[in-house]
Amino acid sequence: MDTIRKSFFFFLLSFFIFTNCTVEEGEMENPDLSTLEGKILFAFAGDLFLYDLATETIDFIAERKGRQGPFMSPDAQYFTTNNWPGKNEGVALWEVNTGVIEKEFDLEITLDPDELGVKVSPSATYYSGIVNSLSSANPDFIILDEGGDEIFRIDGDRIRVKGHVWDTRGNLYFTGEILEGSLNEALFLGRISDIGTNDFTLIRIFDGQFADLPDQLAISPDGGQIAYGYKTSIWIGSTEENSENHRECFGAVQTLAVPTFSPDGTHLATVMLNSSTSLRGDLHVAKIPNEGLTTLTAEGATKLPGPNSSLNSTWVSGGDSSIGWFK
């Protein structure tokens, strides 16, 4: 394991690039929601629901077993949730179509309290999460196999991971900060393409502080684009190495987070946080602009109806939750 960690760390240090991201102002473009298809999985008041865009109906799926989640597998077959604090080492794997828990297991090391949950790869082959480190003040990042056994670890004293997500091809994307070596304090977005060989690709470098790093990431169905919340806005850019085309696509008076792509990759669903009008957790859907910036508002046309009928909006559980959109 030490050899793997050292190999990964020094391979990461061999890459470095600064990217200049500019924002061009553009007109707001609201989608025609009646033309959209698929279902959006979300958590509301502790339970799990599916919103059918075609029929504009909401179905109750199950009582949620845990606080964090649902976190969709990229192939839309499964999602994970994690138990409430006090037993936050518990992980449940659910089937999307049935809303039934297929397996449960407990991590030997508890999840970090600030972590947003265990993410799952296609076919639930791997799980990834941030855990409390036994040897340092910084949490470690681990990958588990389908039985819940640890197979890979990144030392939090060398690379502190903030956010992570899997794509349909089994690639793992993550954000983090380098805490050791010549690139000390560099903030980055990267990808591991093969867990076994440690193939690493640097996508971009961020400015700011560790707290500014995206912790909610989403990959488009074709694997070509990544979306994330960065400095209160949603940014979208290429997943290619040393990408320079990442740009701010969605902004709001409130903080935006928890993005997910539509099945055809043309729209994005996201959650509004910290609302001043008691609408924290509103779920919005908007067309991805070709250029410019789309502004989402608390009462805008992009807000979906949902269980919170008195406010006529779909309310999810904010920053400790996630959403999934599938056919």
Side-chain angles (χ1 to χ4, degrees):
M1 188 65 67
D2 288 339
T3 301
I4 293 177
R5 284 204 303 265
K6 291 177 181 178
S7 172
F8 175 85
F9 178 69
F10 288 110
F11 195 61
L12 171 61
L13 292 185
S14 66
F15 292 90
F16 186 70
I17 185 171
F18 285 100
T19 57
N20 297 317
C21 300
T22 59
V23 177
E24 297 180 3
E25 293 296 332
E27 295 183 358
M28 179 175 177
E29 185 176 3
N30 286 327
D32 181 1
L33 297 181
S34 64
T35 65
L36 300 180
E37 298 180 347
K39 297 180 179 181
I40 297 179
L41 174 72
F42 64 94
F44 167 69
D47 295 329
L48 297 169
F49 294 85
L50 279 179
Y51 181 89
D52 191 318
L53 285 159
T55 62
E56 298 184 354
T57 58
I58 296 175
D59 294 323
F60 171 79
I61 298 300
E63 292 183 358
R64 183 170 52 159
K65 188 166 187 173
R67 175 180 180 181
Q68 295 95 352
F71 299 108
M72 295 279 294
S73 65
D75 55 7
Q77 295 183 38
Y78 302 100
F79 63 88
T80 54
T81 61
N82 304 121
N83 288 344
W84 290 92
K87 199 179 184 308
N88 61 354
E89 68 275 14
V91 179
L93 179 70
W94 304 69
E95 290 185 347
V96 169
N97 292 328
T98 63
V100 173
I101 295 177
E102 179 169 297
K103 68 172 68 173
E104 296 181 81
F105 58 85
D106 289 338
L107 301 175
E108 294 184 2
I109 306 174
T110 58
L111 289 169
D112 184 78
D114 294 330
E115 158 61 357
L116 297 179
V118 170
K119 312 298 171 59
V120 59
S121 73
S123 302
T125 304
Y126 299 113
Y127 303 86
S128 57
I130 301 173
V131 297
N132 286 324
S133 174
L134 299 180
S135 59
S136 70
N138 293 317
D140 293 347
F141 178 77
I142 62 172
I143 296 177
L144 313 174
D145 63 17
E146 55 189 353
D149 296 323
E150 180 182 328
I151 61 173
F152 181 77
R153 177 182 291 260
I154 297 176
D155 187 341
D157 280 344
R158 291 179 170 180
I159 300 174
R160 185 182 178 189
V161 175
K162 180 71 178 291
H164 52 104
V165 70
W166 300 84
D167 72 4
T168 56
R169 295 162 178 78
N171 298 310
L172 177 66
Y173 294 78
F174 65 103
T175 57
E177 179 181 16
I178 300 171
L179 298 176
E180 184 178 282
S182 61
L183 298 184
N184 185 37
E185 298 184 351
L187 307 175
F188 70 94
L189 165 65
R191 176 178 68 244
I192 300 177
S193 298
D194 191 320
I195 302 301
T197 62
N198 237 6
D199 180 21
F200 176 83
T201 300
L202 180 66
I203 297 174
R204 70 161 293 186
I205 292 290
F206 295 95
D207 58 11
Q209 302 176 347
F210 182 81
D212 298 323
L213 276 176
D215 55 13
Q216 300 275 9
L217 312 173
I219 309 298
S220 62
D222 64 4
Q225 300 288 311
I226 184 168
Y228 48 85
Y230 181 48
K231 295 184 177 180
T232 75
S233 300
I234 298 295
W235 290 58
I236 296 178
S238 170
T239 56
E240 294 295 321
E241 181 177 1
N242 296 334
S243 175
E244 298 184 6
N245 68 349
H246 289 222
R247 63 188 182 91
E248 184 183 9
C249 287
F250 298 100
V253 176
Q254 316 298 341
T255 299
L256 296 174
V258 202
T260 188
F261 284 91
S262 63
D264 63 4
T266 63
H267 291 71
L268 199 81
T270 187
V271 177
M272 185 174 290
L273 305 181
N274 306 322
S275 175
S276 60
T277 55
S278 301
L279 298 176
R280 180 181 185 271
D282 272 353
L283 179 60
H284 293 253
V285 169
K287 184 177 181 180
I288 298 173
N290 292 326
E291 60 182 17
L293 178 67
T294 294
T295 302
L296 305 180
T297 63
E299 299 297 335
T302 62
K303 186 171 60 176
L304 299 182
N308 197 353
S309 57
S310 62
L311 296 177
N312 192 32
S313 65
T314 295
W315 192 92
V316 301
S317 299
D320 59 3
S321 185
S322 184
I323 50 181
W325 191 345
F326 57 98
K327 295 180 180 179

